Amino acid sequence: QPELQLPFEKSESWSFTGGPHGGWGSGSGWAALDFAPPGEALGCVSSDAWVTAMADGVIISSDNGRVVQDLDGDGFEQTGWSLLYMHIESRDRIPAGETVKAGDRIGHPSCEGGISSGTHVHIARRYNGEWISADGKIPFNLDGWISEGQGIEYEGFLRKNGETIEAFEGRLPENQILR
């Protein structure tokens, strides 16, 4: 898989709120992870935090809370690697056609574009149009944090150098991850 980084700015601590779960709706591969921005407010609230590109690539779709990034540059999400960033607020959302580098701003986390109980970003990967499981043979590797599931949707861990962060809904000291 391509080298990926956590989907938020350096020196920020976000909450790991969702372990492996459906990349796109129920019944899809467990290709997704969720992260909530810093702050005390709960529910669907506006956030000034930024979701950032996890890799270099081209934004090929940007609408209805959804941003899709093509990593091989051919403009198709059905070939090579593509990344989905979901629940990206319309305010300041990057338009389709932009070329980004890892760490560039994509937009703000929100509840836009689907069912959500709180402001967050939902990230998922596809290779040649197929969802890549976040708890399978090719787990997420985000700045060295490796995703792992427990066989129960939304439950899971990120592990790096002997440290473990467990996914919890909400903001707790135990689910904070610093980039």
Side-chain angles (χ1 to χ4, degrees), residues 48-130:
D48 288 330
W50 287 95
V51 174
T52 60
M54 295 185 291
D56 298 351
V58 177
I59 304 303
I60 58 173
S61 181
S62 180
D63 60 5
N64 195 29
R66 181 178 67 103
V67 172
V68 177
Q69 182 184 9
D70 173 41
L71 302 189
D72 65 9
D74 69 358
F76 297 102
E77 56 186 300
Q78 299 86 356
T79 59
W81 287 93
S82 64
L83 302 174
L84 169 68
Y85 306 84
M86 194 67 195
H87 306 298
I88 304 300
E89 184 181 352
S90 57
R91 171 182 59 113
D92 299 325
R93 184 171 53 225
I94 193 166
E98 294 286 325
T99 299
V100 295
K101 296 284 187 193
D104 286 352
R105 291 174 169 179
I106 298 290
H108 303 287
S110 74
C111 290
E112 288 183 29
I115 299 169
S116 176
S117 61
T119 298
H120 72 287
V121 64
H122 166 104
I123 59 169
R125 307 164 297 162
R126 293 199 309 179
Y127 182 72
N128 289 339
E130 297 291 326

Side-chain angles (χ1 to χ4, degrees), residues 6-42:
L6 288 162
F8 46 89
E9 295 185 310
K10 286 184 179 181
S11 302
E12 285 193 356
S13 185
W14 284 44
S15 301
F16 177 42
T17 56
H21 62 283
W24 187 266
S26 63
S28 67
W30 286 7
L33 300 175
D34 291 343
F35 296 91
E40 297 299 318
L42 299 174

Side-chain angles (χ1 to χ4, degrees), residues 140-147 158-160 163 165 177:
F140 269 100
N141 181 339
L142 303 165
D143 288 322
W145 289 98
I146 308 300
S147 63
L158 290 174
R159 299 184 194 276
K160 179 180 180 180
E163 187 177 355
I165 298 175
I177 184 165

